[in-house]
Structure formats: C-alpha cells, structure tokens
Amino acid sequence: KAGVTQTPRYLIKTRGQQVTLSCSPISGHRSVSWYQQTPGQGLQFLFEYFSETQRNKGNFPGRFSGRQFSNSRSEMNVSTLELGDSALYLCASSADGISGNTIYFGEGSWLTVV
Amino acid sequence: TQLLEQSPQFLSIQEGENLTVYCNSSSVFSSLQWYRQEPGEGPVLLVTVVTGGEVKKLKRLTFQFGDARKDSSLHITAAQTGDTGLYLCAGAISGNTGKLIFGQGTTLQVKP
C-alpha cells in the first residue's frame, strides 16, 4: 500500500512569488492535513480537508490556502511568499481525520524563500 | 491554548543505556501518537495509544499513556546507534479533526 506522496520535494522561490504543493494521500484515506515545520516553531497545523471541504484550520494568515479534489488529492498554496515561509511542509493523511485514527505523514516538501 | 510539553529536548547517551522521554499536558487527549523523524524526512509513526493507562511495546521501545490521558512516556531499553533521531509526541483532541498537537521533540543521540 503506497504511502503519502508529496511533490515537489525541494523548491526555491523568491519573495513575493506564490507556490503550490501537492499531496496524494494513502489510498482510501479521505482526510488530508497540512503542517508547517520550522526549527523555531516545530510542527504546526495549517488546515485539514475532508470530502473536498476544509473542515479544520490552524492559526495561519490567509496567504496559506488549500483545496482537495474528488480523488482526495490535495494541494496547498502560499501566496506572496515571505522569507519566514521557508520550512518543511508536511502532508498527512488518515482514514477520516477523527481523533483516535492514526495519521500518517509524507516525506515533505522543502520550501526555501530567498 | 493546548500545549504538549516534551522533555528532555536533547539527550546524548552511550549505546546500551536506557532512556525515557516524557510528554505532559493539561489537556486531555483522545489519542496520542509517537513519531520518529530523520533529518529531511517526514515523521514516521511508531505507535498510537488510545486508552488511558495503555502500555504498548515495540521491540525495545515501551510506550505508556497516562491514566488521565494527559501524559505519555517513551522508554527505550538498551539503546542502539540506530535509535538516533528526533522523537515527537503528538496528541489528538476530540472534535478537532485532522489536527495533532505536537511536542517540541527530543533529539536523541546514541554514541557507540
């Protein structure tokens, strides 16, 4: 059974640009969450999607957005990039996102903003 | 604000020693998961504990969920150099779909 797949693995962007990251969850999983990991803040929850709807949201500015498609694949977008957006962005999938169900992570997308 | 305090943040030990990592919170979690993360990679799930007082063993690793479901511990017996890495605890709160509250992580170095 394939794991959580994230693309691209590494990317470099310039301040002010936007970026789109992609995530394919484990087959059969319908909940996809996104996290940002930085050395200073650790892992922080961005948002969760289930059945193409954003169901939960963390405390990030509106520049961070996402969507989910009918096949459960998800994308997240960051607009007007800032230097502080440099981070490892992790996608996680679970069967239905209900607490108690195990959440599995992808390998992440490393974003560097210069 | 829900917080999960993980300690110690850094641990450097000799191969063969035992160690324990702790995660504590004032919040009640419906489940708690432990992950291990290698540099540049995503967290890899080690275990999920759901029931208060639950103890799970994974070879030399023993995980315990507190009776009140507010704390957890990871005990490693006879550590090996291959255990080196970042260990993360993460709690799920009932009703908070898809969201895990992460501890700050414990960086473990096992020296030969």
Side-chain angles (χ1 to χ4, degrees), chain A residues 13-24:
Chain A
K13 291 287 187 178
T14 305
R15 266 182 306 176
Q17 286 186 317
Q18 71 164 2
V19 66
T20 298
L21 308 177
S22 180
C23 172
S24 292

Side-chain angles (χ1 to χ4, degrees), chain B residues 73-87:
Chain B
S73 64
L74 156 62
H75 181 79
I76 300 180
T77 304
Q80 301 176 355
T81 55
D83 296 329
T84 294
L86 176 66
Y87 290 83

Side-chain angles (χ1 to χ4, degrees), chain B residues 31-94:
Chain B
S31 69
L32 196 135
Q33 302 179 42
W34 284 90
Y35 295 88
R36 179 178 156 187
Q37 186 176 23
E38 300 291 339
E41 305 293 329
V44 175
L45 179 72
L46 295 173
V47 78
T48 300
V49 285
V50 179
T51 306
E54 183 175 5
V55 177
K56 280 193 174 179
K57 292 192 175 185
L58 186 66
K59 296 183 181 178
R60 294 174 295 99
L61 278 59
T62 302
F63 305 86
Q64 186 161 6
F65 202 12
D67 291 340
R69 291 185 289 137
K70 293 183 179 181
D71 57 270
S72 182
S73 64
L74 156 62
H75 181 79
I76 300 180
T77 304
Q80 301 176 355
T81 55
D83 296 329
T84 294
L86 176 66
Y87 290 83
L88 295 157
C89 61
I93 303 245
S94 180

Side-chain angles (χ1 to χ4, degrees), chain A residues 9-10 31 33 35 37 43 45 48 55-58 88 90 96-108 110, chain B residues 30-31 33 35 37 39-43 45 48 50 86 88 92-104:
Chain A
R9 282 280 282 142
Y10 305 93
S31 168
S33 299
Y35 290 78
Q37 185 175 26
L43 275 114
F45 173 76
E48 184 237 5
R55 193 166 60 170
N56 201 356
K57 190 176 186 304
L88 177 65
L90 292 160
D96 56 14
I98 302 224
S99 57
N101 285 329
T102 301
I103 295 179
Y104 299 91
F105 285 84
E107 293 192 331
W110 278 101
Chain B
S30 55
S31 69
Q33 302 179 42
Y35 295 88
Q37 186 176 23
E41 305 293 329
L45 179 72
T48 300
V50 179
L86 176 66
L88 295 157
I93 303 245
S94 180
N96 232 326
T97 57
K99 179 179 179 179
L100 291 173
I101 309 294
F102 276 87
Q104 304 96 316

Side-chain angles (χ1 to χ4, degrees), chain A residues 1-106:
Chain A
K1 188 170 174 178
V4 181
T5 305
Q6 290 187 244
T7 58
R9 282 280 282 142
Y10 305 93
L11 66 167
I12 300 173
K13 291 287 187 178
T14 305
R15 266 182 306 176
Q17 286 186 317
Q18 71 164 2
V19 66
T20 298
L21 308 177
S22 180
C23 172
S24 292
I26 292 171
S27 178
H29 283 190
R30 296 169 63 192
S31 168
V32 174
S33 299
W34 289 88
Y35 290 78
Q36 181 195 65
Q37 185 175 26
T38 60
Q41 299 297 319
L43 275 114
Q44 293 187 291
F45 173 76
L46 281 155
F47 31 66
E48 184 237 5
Y49 285 85
F50 181 83
S51 291
E52 302 178 65
T53 301
Q54 186 182 88
R55 193 166 60 170
N56 201 356
K57 190 176 186 304
N59 297 320
F60 277 82
R63 299 185 298 106
F64 292 82
S65 63
R67 59 177 176 169
Q68 187 180 35
F69 302 95
S70 58
N71 62 357
S72 292
R73 191 177 69 84
S74 176
E75 291 181 345
M76 70 162 280
N77 182 277
V78 188
S79 62
T80 319
L81 284 165
E82 301 176 0
L83 295 179
D85 296 333
S86 295
L88 177 65
Y89 289 89
L90 292 160
C91 170
S93 85
S94 72
D96 56 14
I98 302 224
S99 57
N101 285 329
T102 301
I103 295 179
Y104 299 91
F105 285 84

